[in-house]
Amino acid sequence: MGRIAVLTSGGDAPGMNAAARALTRKGIALGFEIWGVRRGYRGLMEEDLVPLGPREVGDVLQRGGTMLGTARAEEFKTPAGQKRALEALEKYRIEGLVVIGGDGSLHGAQALHEQGVRTIGIPATIDNDIPGTEIAIGVDTALNTVVEAINKLRDTAASHERTFVIETMGRDCGYLALMAGLAGGAEAILIPEAPFDLKEVARRVLRSHRAGKKHSFIVVSEGIRQHLELRPFQSVGEYVGAYIADETGLEVRVTVLGHVQRGGAPTAFDRLLATRFGVAAAQALQEGKSGRMLALQRGEIVSLPLKEALQGRRELDLELLELAYLLSG
Ligand code: ADP
Ligand code: F6P
């Protein structure tokens, strides 16, 4: 009976538990012994592994976060760190490793694959910045969290006739801001993938205010920070909020959603996606596959080489930006 290990790494994403559960139970059904690595690559380097049976992954399907714990481990990027990880895998006689995580974590999986470890990657990150898959685990839940926040802010914004700037996560990717802005009826959406002119945004808000729209929403992605000159500890939202208030003279409030977007029970979509990915990972290892990432493409779960899946930058449909402006009225 072969041994499979599973780890979660990088930013946690709702649905990671559902993926670990599905992998464990399907893996056991296929005859594998399953081990959980605690705290991502850090835990792997430190040999922090625990056996996982069907009961260990009970009651986690509906929970956000990750029961295995996660970490960011700079040392793992070095040859010495990877050597430690390889030694741990050898010591525990692990024959296959499933990495559940974002772009960085999956690059780590590719590095191990290149050194002879049989690895399968499962994309899980609220940023949705992995080029090879239409959507990663956690994105749908985070998106719903942002839209729900916009709904709530709408009540107070309308009551006070205020302009709101809402900052979403997305380290270098504007997906969350773009989709939440469109779904939430934002007046303007600022993302790193598209050039923007704050003066023009201010003009637009003022124009629609004068035309009778007394409250409006500007959704900004944290990813635009590289285009702004932020003071230490100043958020992107605060910067844009101060600018718009200054330019328009309107009453502006800023909400930085922050890590709230990473938590919460996974939506049905995320549970189903994670479950399908988890099952497919166990099957892929049984088929002897390695160095591959599972992905959702046109509704189907497919597997493609990690290298290919991580290549380049995720493309966004920038026409949606124009659509958001048009529909914001
Ligand atoms: P995410 O996986 O959510 O994108 P990070 O980019 O922080 O999060 O990556 C998580 C961890 O994956 C890092 O702390 C590091 O241990 C590992 N990692 C990231 N990039 C690489 C890389 N190029 N090679 C090997 N390991 C990496
Ligand atoms: O990659 C997921 C993410 O939540 C990004 O959106 C954000 O920039 C980053 O992680 C925050 O990282 P940390 O957990 O270190 O605060």
Side-chain angles (χ1 to χ4, degrees):
M1 187 162 68
R3 285 186 175 182
I4 295 178
V6 54
L7 63 79
T8 52
S9 163
D12 59 309
M16 280 181 159
N17 285 328
R21 168 187 178 268
L23 168 78
T24 301
R25 291 191 176 160
K26 179 67 182 180
I28 290 170
L30 291 175
F32 288 111
E33 193 180 296
I34 315 294
W35 285 70
V37 182
R38 301 193 32 80
R39 299 177 295 119
Y41 293 119
R42 169 146 313 290
L44 184 56
M45 291 184 295
E46 293 171 2
E47 301 181 7
D48 192 358
L49 283 80
V50 289
L52 293 180
R55 296 295 3 118
E56 274 70 39
V57 292
D59 204 26
V60 301
L61 178 63
Q62 75 285 14
R63 292 186 204 281
T66 161
M67 59 171 274
L68 290 171
T70 185
R72 292 205 161 89
E74 277 304 304
E75 188 191 344
F76 180 72
K77 292 183 184 170
T78 67
Q82 287 172 20
K83 185 163 169 274
R84 285 181 71 191
L86 290 170
E87 283 165 2
L89 290 167
E90 201 167 313
K91 179 168 166 187
Y92 278 81
R93 291 181 283 112
I94 304 297
E95 292 172 12
L97 176 69
V98 176
V99 173
I100 305 174
D103 176 74
S105 306
L106 297 170
H107 273 102
Q110 170 66 17
L112 289 177
H113 162 72
E114 284 169 11
Q115 291 169 77
V117 180
R118 193 176 291 175
T119 54
I120 297 293
I122 294 184
T125 164
I126 67 161
D127 290 0
N128 211 23
D129 58 348
I130 298 167
T133 186
E134 284 163 17
I135 196 155
I137 295 172
V139 177
D140 185 65
T141 306
L143 188 52
N144 279 287
T145 300
V146 180
V147 171
E148 201 179 312
I150 296 177
N151 288 345
K152 290 184 176 172
L153 293 170
R154 209 168 250 294
D155 292 344
T156 176
S159 305
H160 284 267
E161 300 190 344
R162 281 173 175 158
T163 299
F164 265 79
V165 173
I166 300 165
E167 181 189 313
T168 72
M169 274 190 164
R171 191 166 35 188
D172 302 304
C173 178
Y175 182 91
L176 259 190
L178 176 59
M179 294 306 176
L182 188 57
E187 196 79 33
I189 302 168
L190 308 183
I191 56 174
E193 290 83 354
F196 58 86
D197 176 359
L198 281 181
K199 228 181 183 56
E200 177 49 34
V201 173
R203 257 190 240 122
R204 182 197 308 249
V205 169
L206 200 54
R207 243 193 336 264
S208 66
H209 186 83
R210 289 186 178 139
K213 188 172 181 186
K214 297 297 180 201
H215 64 281
S216 38
F217 286 85
I218 303 168
V219 177
V220 301
S221 167
E222 66 163 332
I224 64 167
R225 70 190 171 285
Q226 69 261 29
H227 302 297
L228 310 174
E229 281 177 27
L230 299 180
R231 291 196 312 273
F233 297 107
Q234 186 183 27
S235 68
V236 161
E238 284 163 350
Y239 182 99
V240 173
Y243 185 94
I244 300 292
D246 239 33
E247 281 288 311
T248 61
L250 295 175
E251 206 179 348
V252 177
R253 292 289 184 273
V254 175
T255 300
V256 178
L257 293 174
H259 292 76
V260 163
Q261 295 160 95
R262 287 232 300 251
T267 57
F269 179 92
D270 272 329
R271 291 181 207 193
L272 294 172
L273 181 68
T275 298
R276 293 169 80 194
F277 278 161
V279 166
Q283 284 166 336
L285 285 174
Q286 192 201 30
E287 289 160 13
K289 289 186 176 146
S290 179
R292 299 186 77 84
M293 188 190 86
L294 299 167
L296 187 75
Q297 288 179 2
R298 298 171 195 272
E300 300 288 326
I301 305 290
V302 298
S303 97
L304 66 165
L306 269 164
K307 221 174 180 163
E308 191 184 307
L310 300 175
Q311 214 160 46
R313 191 171 178 178
R314 194 200 163 78
E315 299 276 322
L316 297 188
D317 181 357
L318 297 181
E319 284 180 15
L320 296 180
L321 277 179
E322 290 310 316
L323 191 62
Y325 295 150
L326 176 82
L327 300 181
S328 70

